[in-house]
Amino acid sequence: MNSFIRTACAGGVFQIEIDRPDKKNALTSDMYATMADALARADADPAARVVLISGAGGNFTAGNDLNDFLAEPPSSEDAPVFRFLDALANLQKPFVAAVEGVAVGVGTTLLLHCDLVYAGASARFVLPFAKLGLTPEAASSLLLPLRAGHARAAELLMFGEPFSAQLALELGIVNAVLSDGQVIEHALERCRKLTEQPAASLRLTKQLLKRARQTLVRETMSHESETFRQRLQSPEAKEAFAAFLEKRKPDFSRFDGL
Ligand code: COA
């Protein structure tokens, strides 16, 4: 078990907690691999009726670990990050997220695969792919415009500026905004309620809700992952990661975009 990902199953609720608070729960390849395995276990375990994901220490996750991206960029479609995204898109059981603090990159895009999302009032969502020299992942280039419309999706993806829990609620990314500190308890209460529902009906309801988009989601993810892997090797991405690690503003003026 990876020490930064904690899992536990009790009372029908399978909990996945991202627990690397000193790095704002940034996700490494090992952590993605552990989460992909955890989702597979949750789906296979009859004692697990609902899956809940959250972050420790007041943040959801700062997204991909940028050191890891520089040192070990995912180079194939079966890299842990893509295995995790695939497991998310194919999860059969209800998937619930409790979001406090920052939800950056995959921290926001994974929410588009959740069935229910609860956020704290001061939670901040960010889709920084373009400003990191990257491109959208997790089928967000399909799922975000479906929720938010093209113009708002373009604004969030092109500027990569943080947006509030209130806006996430208006865009249909989250179900409810709770007082800070009450998110996990509320999410757990909703999860417990789901455990009392007929599990097969929930599984089939989820399947039906996603059926029309499922093939398109898979195709989009595969296409996005190819582009994303190419962009990870781009000079713009390398400049953006170096700038973050050196705590300075990136300079993209040398790159012409062709
Ligand atoms: N990868 C690696 N390390 C990260 C990280 C990431 N994605 N996000 C945060 N950290 C590290 C910081 O380097 C810092 O480490 P240090 O204490 O050793 O210097 C520590 O976590 C705390 O982060 P800090 O930036 O000081 O916290 P903050 O509250 O000022 O800002 C964020 C929080 C999340 C807004 C900011 O850290 C950030 O923008 N992170 C990058 C997010 C990102 O671009 N993710 C990739 C998405 S594809």
Side-chain angles (χ1 to χ4, degrees):
M1 172 61 58
N2 184 300
S3 58
F4 296 129
I5 300 294
R6 304 193 182 285
T7 61
C9 187
V13 182
F14 189 104
Q15 275 189 258
I16 300 176
E17 187 185 46
I18 309 168
D19 185 17
R20 196 187 175 206
D22 58 324
K23 297 289 177 190
K24 308 275 173 187
N25 299 332
L27 296 165
T28 61
S29 288
D30 281 352
M31 291 162 76
Y32 282 121
T34 307
M35 289 198 296
D37 294 345
L39 289 177
R41 272 192 291 128
D43 245 355
D45 182 356
R49 296 171 79 96
V50 49
V51 185
L52 172 63
I53 188 166
S54 62
N59 287 295
F60 190 53
T61 168
N64 287 283
D65 185 299
L66 296 175
N67 284 296
D68 216 42
F69 261 174
L70 271 173
E72 269 185 83
S75 56
S76 70
E77 218 164 313
D78 54 8
V81 58
F82 300 122
R83 229 161 37 76
F84 169 67
L85 296 179
D86 201 53
L88 264 189
N90 293 308
L91 191 71
Q92 299 289 308
K93 294 180 179 170
F95 188 43
V96 181
V99 181
E100 288 181 305
V102 294
V104 186
V106 71
T108 292
T109 59
L110 80 79
L111 303 177
L112 301 169
H113 297 271
C114 289
D115 302 297
L116 300 163
V117 179
Y118 300 103
S122 62
R124 284 288 172 274
F125 303 80
V126 197
L127 295 163
F129 306 110
K131 72 179 191 191
L132 289 172
L134 302 172
T135 43
E137 33 90 293
S140 56
S141 62
L142 170 74
L143 297 173
L144 190 61
L146 282 176
R147 305 266 176 106
H150 180 93
R152 288 190 294 189
E155 189 168 32
L156 299 177
L157 286 165
M158 288 185 177
F159 290 111
E161 291 165 345
F163 59 101
S164 66
Q166 188 54 42
L167 181 58
L169 179 70
E170 283 160 27
L171 297 179
I173 297 172
V174 312
N175 290 75
V177 178
L178 287 307
S179 300
D180 291 328
Q182 292 184 3
V183 185
I184 275 282
E185 206 33 64
H186 182 81
L188 270 171
E189 189 268 319
R190 297 313 281 164
C191 286
R192 287 187 203 111
K193 190 112 189 161
L194 282 177
T195 65
E196 294 164 8
Q197 301 277 68
S201 292
L202 291 182
R203 179 171 50 76
L204 291 166
T205 299
K206 174 166 180 150
Q207 214 174 75
L208 288 165
L209 279 168
K210 296 177 74 177
R211 192 187 65 85
R213 292 187 307 270
Q214 197 66 345
T215 307
L216 210 48
V217 164
R218 285 201 194 100
E219 273 172 26
T220 306
M221 271 195 181
S222 166
H223 191 69
E224 284 177 345
S225 104
E226 198 183 325
T227 313
F228 193 91
R229 280 181 278 126
Q230 285 165 5
R231 292 304 303 165
L232 274 174
Q233 306 297 337
S234 68
E236 290 97 326
K238 290 189 174 147
E239 163 62 9
F241 300 164
F244 175 74
L245 298 172
E246 290 160 20
K247 300 187 189 294
R248 63 171 171 82
K249 199 172 172 338
D251 174 10
F252 299 120
S253 64
R254 286 173 288 139
F255 314 116
D256 61 15
L258 297 175

